[in-house]
Amino acid sequence: MAYRLDKIRQEVSRHVGECAQNLASAIDVELLMEIHRIMDGRKAVGIDGIGKEDYSEGISEKLEDLVSRMKREAYKPKVSRRVFIDKPGTNKKRPLGISCYEDKLVEKAVAQLLEVVYEPKFLDFSYGFRPKRNCHQAIKKVYNEIQQKKVSYVVEADIRSFFDTLDHEWMIKFLENDIADKKFIDIIKKQLKAGILEEGKLQEREEGTVQGGCASAILANIYLHYVLDLWFDWLVRNGHFRGEAYLTRYADDFVVCFQYLSDAERFYHSLDKRLGKFGLEIAPEKTRILEFGRFATDRRNRRGEGKPETFSFLGFTFYCSTDHTKQRFRVKVKSDRKKLGSKLKKVWQWIKENRHRMRIDEMIEKLNISLRGYYNYYAVTDNMKSLWTFRYNVRRYLFYWLNRRSQKKSFTFEEYAIMLDKIPIIEPSLRHVLYITAC
């Protein structure tokens, strides 16, 4: 599959500036078979109840029929099943759409072909769901721009319900600007229009893309590439800002850093109009300009306004501080308080529900798996204190609920400490260094 995609990539690179063609013909039995091979069989199933294992029976015939329907333009995606998951740090739920397995194969194929076409076009400050790019690179970029560049103001922005309000007509216009294959575009149109089944009721879709779908991330990147990235790049290159300006975007989350307040205000007031043109809007309660950077503390002290405000990005809170000598400015990060609290609540509830179902060593093993994943993300420069506090609370929760498995206490604290020496809860260690050099 990698070889075949690379051939398409070479063909696209040979015709820079031209629209990509013959993409639909690349979705054949061989490509779909390779995608099927690497699909995760543990994922939730769609409305037809068919998973990877079920689809594997007679798969060659099924894929030949699928490709035949696509060639005849008779392929029609089934309705997606909507589920809701907790949104970290809030009491809200995040809607996810679960496609049928066959549709997942097509979505994945479409996503891979779109990646071949658009990856060379995407700008460097876009990080979300792209190969060899991740959250920590985006965080590191913001961190070091504030630390080393002439940044004094930050625009923290949020697009309201982006995945639910993405405009289909504009999405197709953007795709047609780069892709000349009508059959391929038609497949994407059908995926966008496929309905959603929620609580037994069918909902037609005239806007938005199913969050959680195999192709939703790349479609979101394409949409915001045109709506936000190219617009901001054009503003910078054409001298619309008096000073330095930097955008960092991860999917629909983005932060913009400015040298001057006038530039930040100009961008802030233009942003809503720009997004509105494409059917989007900012969430006013989550979008603001804040004074932030090496000179912010002194300026705010002179005005009697206290410490600079903080802002959050990708699960971390950025705040102004100093180095260990208390003389040089340092931007620092810590775990976002709301998301930290949400994670601890989940740990509390999990221990409470499983204290009777598992042996203690099994519980600690499961907790360590969860902690390892948490550390892998949050163990960054300046955030180790937060992780040790998190671990301390996990230990405390475990002690509390183990002693409530019966009317008689299971452990004294000394006995509990001895047990943890034998079956330890893993400790955090630094995984991601953000800081490059002193300013």
Side-chain angles (χ1 to χ4, degrees):
M1 181 171 61
Y3 172 74
R4 298 180 70 227
L5 292 174
D6 192 52
K7 286 185 68 176
I8 298 171
R9 189 176 292 109
Q10 291 173 11
E11 187 67 22
V12 170
S13 65
R14 279 199 297 267
H15 298 86
V16 177
E18 299 179 19
C19 291
Q21 301 185 42
N22 302 322
L23 295 178
S25 63
I27 307 177
D28 56 18
V29 172
E30 186 180 354
L31 178 63
L32 293 172
M33 187 70 80
E34 282 297 309
I35 292 172
H36 168 74
R37 186 179 61 81
I38 63 173
M39 289 287 276
D40 187 350
R42 298 168 296 178
K43 295 290 186 181
V45 298
I47 61 168
D48 60 2
I50 295 175
K52 180 176 181 177
E53 185 176 347
D54 304 309
Y55 199 83
S56 296
E57 297 179 13
I59 187 170
S60 297
E61 293 78 10
K62 290 176 181 176
L63 292 182
E64 286 174 3
D65 176 64
L66 173 58
V67 171
S68 174
R69 280 182 280 133
M70 293 175 69
K71 287 180 178 179
R72 302 193 317 267
E73 300 185 31
Y75 166 71
K76 184 179 180 181
K78 294 184 177 68
V79 172
S80 296
R81 180 168 65 89
R82 172 157 282 178
V83 297
F84 293 88
I85 62 171
D86 293 333
K87 194 172 183 179
T90 71
N91 295 322
K92 298 179 181 178
K93 297 284 186 178
R94 187 190 303 278
L96 294 181
I98 301 175
S99 303
C100 293
Y101 185 80
E102 182 177 81
D103 297 325
K104 289 180 183 178
L105 296 177
V106 180
E107 289 171 5
K108 188 70 173 177
V110 166
Q112 291 185 341
L113 292 168
L114 287 174
E115 182 183 295
V116 169
V117 174
Y118 281 97
E119 187 58 30
K121 299 177 184 290
F122 288 151
L123 302 184
D124 282 344
F125 50 72
S126 166
Y127 287 86
F129 306 105
R130 294 179 59 188
K132 299 180 181 179
R133 288 176 173 246
N134 56 49
C135 292
H136 293 105
Q137 291 172 331
I139 294 163
K140 188 171 185 176
K141 178 177 180 292
V142 175
Y143 186 100
N144 284 287
E145 282 169 356
I146 295 171
Q147 181 67 40
Q148 299 185 348
K149 305 294 184 181
K150 298 175 181 177
V151 171
S152 292
Y153 298 90
V154 170
V155 174
E156 181 185 18
D158 184 83
I159 302 176
R160 191 190 301 278
S161 303
F162 169 70
F163 284 91
D164 294 329
T165 57
L166 178 151
D167 186 275
H168 288 179
E169 289 188 15
W170 277 112
M171 183 79 258
I172 298 303
K173 286 180 181 179
F174 296 150
L175 292 169
E176 289 176 340
N177 189 61
D178 304 295
I179 299 171
D181 188 336
K182 183 180 180 299
K183 283 189 176 182
F184 187 74
I185 297 291
D186 283 344
I187 292 171
I188 297 175
K189 283 182 182 178
K190 290 176 181 178
Q191 291 174 340
L192 290 173
K193 295 294 182 184
I196 294 176
L197 191 68
E198 181 180 338
E199 296 180 349
K201 296 179 181 180
L202 178 62
Q203 298 180 3
E204 300 293 335
R205 279 199 297 144
E206 297 300 326
E207 60 181 13
T209 180
V210 176
Q211 191 169 359
C214 296
S216 61
I218 183 72
L219 290 173
N221 268 340
I222 294 167
Y223 201 88
L224 288 176
H225 170 72
Y226 278 100
V227 173
L228 182 63
D229 298 359
L230 291 179
W231 173 60
F232 181 83
D233 186 60
W234 181 84
L235 291 175
V236 171
R237 286 187 292 102
N238 287 274
H240 284 257
F241 299 131
R242 188 161 62 97
E244 296 181 12
Y246 307 97
L247 169 67
T248 305
R249 181 175 68 81
Y250 190 95
D252 59 325
D253 293 329
F254 62 97
V255 168
V256 195
C257 300
F258 293 95
Q259 182 178 359
Y260 296 116
L261 177 60
S262 58
D263 290 339
E265 290 176 334
R266 187 180 299 114
F267 174 81
Y268 178 87
H269 293 303
S270 300
L271 180 62
D272 197 31
K273 183 178 179 181
R274 174 68 180 180
L275 295 179
K277 178 180 177 181
F278 301 96
L280 305 174
E281 62 176 321
I282 61 172
E285 70 278 6
K286 297 181 181 179
T287 304
R288 60 189 177 128
I289 302 172
L290 60 148
E291 193 171 20
F292 197 94
R294 68 185 67 206
F295 305 116
T297 302
D298 291 339
R299 284 198 298 260
R300 291 178 66 86
N301 283 339
R302 287 197 296 268
R303 297 195 299 265
E305 295 177 351
K307 294 181 179 180
E309 296 179 86
T310 64
F311 70 92
S312 293
F313 183 55
L314 300 179
F316 290 92
T317 296
F318 288 69
Y319 63 100
C320 294
S321 185
T322 56
D323 64 8
H324 67 283
T325 67
K326 305 293 183 183
Q327 295 178 351
R328 291 182 175 181
F329 167 75
R330 279 281 311 279
V331 60
K332 294 183 179 181
V333 299
K334 59 184 177 182
S335 301
D336 180 90
R337 186 173 62 181
K338 290 182 179 179
K339 293 189 175 181
L340 174 62
S342 176
K343 181 66 174 178
L344 284 173
K345 284 181 182 178
K346 287 183 178 180
V347 173
W348 170 276
Q349 191 64 29
W350 186 88
I351 296 173
K352 177 183 176 182
E353 292 174 355
N354 288 279
R355 68 189 190 277
H356 295 299
R357 301 175 186 173
M358 297 182 182
R359 300 194 312 270
I360 296 175
D361 59 332
E362 291 177 329
M363 288 186 69
I364 294 178
E365 182 181 356
K366 294 286 186 182
L367 283 171
N368 281 339
I369 292 172
S370 178
L371 283 171
R372 190 172 291 109
Y374 189 82
Y375 296 161
N376 283 341
Y377 187 81
Y378 284 100
V380 305
T381 305
D382 302 318
N383 195 39
M384 298 310 297
K385 181 180 177 181
S386 173
L387 295 186
W388 281 103
T389 301
F390 185 87
R391 179 179 179 272
Y392 167 79
N393 281 305
V394 171
R395 284 168 52 106
R396 191 163 57 89
Y397 295 169
L398 185 62
F399 177 69
Y400 178 89
W401 284 114
L402 288 180
N403 274 329
R404 277 153 185 79
R405 293 192 296 177
S406 64
Q407 293 182 342
K408 182 181 178 182
K409 281 192 173 184
S410 299
F411 296 101
T412 64
F413 191 80
E414 290 75 16
E415 291 170 338
Y416 179 64
I418 293 171
M419 184 203 72
L420 288 184
D421 285 338
K422 297 177 181 178
I423 317 171
I425 293 175
I426 61 172
E427 299 179 350
S429 59
L430 184 65
R431 310 289 171 88
H432 306 282
V433 177
L434 302 181
Y435 189 61
I436 297 177
T437 56
C439 60

